Amino acid sequence: MSMITTRRSLLAAALLAAFAAPQIPSAAVAAPRPTAATGSTAEVPAPATRAPIGTRTLHLVDASRPDPWKPEAGHRELMVTLWYPSLPSSGPKAPYVSKELAKKFLGSEDAAGVRTHATLNAPAAPKARPLVVLSPGFGMSRLTLTALGEDLASRGYAVAAVDHTYEAPVEFPGGRMEDCLVCGKPGLPVIANRAKDISFVLDRLTAPGSGLRVDRDRIGVAGHSIGGASAVEAARTDRRVKAAVNMDGNFFAEPTASLNRPVLLLGAQRAGDKENRKDWEQTWRHLTGWKRWLDVGQGGHLTFTDGPWLVERFGLPSTVDPKDAPVAFGTLKADRATALTRAYVSAFFDRHLRGVPRPLLERPSAAYPEVAFLK
């Protein structure tokens, strides 16, 4: 696998590294714009509904396999954040990120003051829910999918965001921090390994005693960047996955087998990008089920994550050259980036996990003129 295929990929990779790479100890978040909220008053964009949602964190150990990136560490360990419809609770809201992980991942503790909308350890509502697993980009923390995770939970989904250990900074219970060991090492089977991680998480969340009531017949996976390619691979390798969303993730190789499950390709700036468009074209012809290819021309590689609103509130990390920012964020404002990501991802899962028709997926929408239907 080559993580860098074009100039666009080079610049996107540099911005990902600026957010995630612990090897730059001097990284610091730039001063917020004068109109941006400070860490003490900022919050995750509000979900679609006011329905109560809960959250908790799981530390999972897959005793069936050694860690592929660090065999001497023993069994594969994963950290997972759950969001879910909950019973009303007066408990505290969960922190967005710890000070330690904020400093490691973002170069500053500022984001530790961001408020979320999910109540920590709130009791789950008793009804069985469709499950959506989220996989972040390479070098990216699962926290960057918080806005999407909370929104899906507010719409009635159980959601699990997975950190793929040694592919990004990951904080474990007790404050143990594991860095990205495979960053900058092309040729590793990242996508295949992530598909195994996702299947293991499904094993645990669909088993008795998970604490969630999951509808085993309604499971989807969505991911950003290489997490999106991994979502499609998980649908290919695990029959439990009924639908997959790839948010601007290259596949890096033409698949060897077809996939007849519903797939949404939600990209940015791909219409005029020959190399990145070719990557998706190779996979497109192997998708034999329901499929859509949507493109956000004003967006960037990080449009579908928490990146836009984090930068809008706190500024770019000082290690990022401002002229490279359009590659990662485009010209789309953060509120629009969050709104369209939530709208199209939830519409896709509503249709394919709940059987609810969503016209948003059938034709261009006046509500979201930024989104073009390429296929």
Side-chain angles (χ1 to χ4, degrees), residues 132-134 145 147-149 151-153 155 157 159 220-224 243-248 264-267 290 294 303-305 337-354 358 360-361 368 371:
V132 175
V133 177
L134 301 178
L145 297 174
L148 178 58
D151 184 72
L152 287 169
R155 298 174 191 260
Y157 290 90
V159 185
V221 183
H224 167 247
V245 179
N246 179 350
M247 297 181 287
D248 208 46
L264 172 63
L265 302 181
L266 182 58
W290 185 101
L294 308 183
T303 284
F304 312 106
T305 73
T338 300
L340 69 84
T341 300
R342 288 170 161 180
Y344 283 91
V345 172
S346 64
F348 174 80
F349 286 126
D350 282 352
R351 172 168 181 160
H352 297 291
L353 298 185
R354 287 173 158 162
R358 293 300 184 201
L360 191 64
L361 299 170
Y368 298 99
V371 181

Side-chain angles (χ1 to χ4, degrees), residues 20-23 104 138-140 164-170 177-185:
Q23 70 269 21
K104 172 73 72 170
F138 191 77
M140 300 290 282
H164 301 279
T165 311
Y166 303 121
E167 298 176 32
V170 180
M177 194 79 67
E178 299 292 351
D179 290 335
C180 184
L181 295 185
V182 296
C183 288
K185 296 181 179 180

Side-chain angles (χ1 to χ4, degrees), residues 254-341:
E254 187 166 0
T256 57
S258 296
L259 175 64
N260 64 355
R261 307 292 175 82
V263 173
L264 172 63
L265 302 181
L266 182 58
Q269 301 183 34
R270 285 182 181 259
D273 188 327
K274 183 177 179 180
E275 288 298 318
N276 284 285
R277 181 161 183 152
K278 180 181 178 181
D279 179 276
W280 276 15
E281 292 278 9
Q282 290 180 150
T283 294
W284 181 262
R285 56 179 172 260
H286 293 275
L287 302 178
T288 59
W290 185 101
K291 57 186 178 181
R292 292 288 184 275
W293 180 344
L294 308 183
D295 190 70
V296 183
Q298 299 173 46
H301 189 55
L302 300 181
T303 284
F304 312 106
T305 73
D306 289 0
W309 63 263
L310 283 172
V311 167
E312 194 166 281
R313 285 159 174 76
F314 302 113
L316 281 171
S318 60
T319 52
V320 177
D321 189 330
K323 74 175 186 298
D324 293 338
V327 176
F329 304 104
T331 57
L332 202 61
K333 295 293 186 181
D335 59 345
R336 292 301 295 169
T338 300
L340 69 84
T341 300

Side-chain angles (χ1 to χ4, degrees), residues 84-85 87 124-130 156 158 212-215 218 354:
Y84 49 87
L87 299 175
K127 180 181 176 182
R129 304 287 179 168
L212 287 181
R213 290 195 60 195
V214 172
D215 186 333
R218 297 189 292 169
R354 287 173 158 162

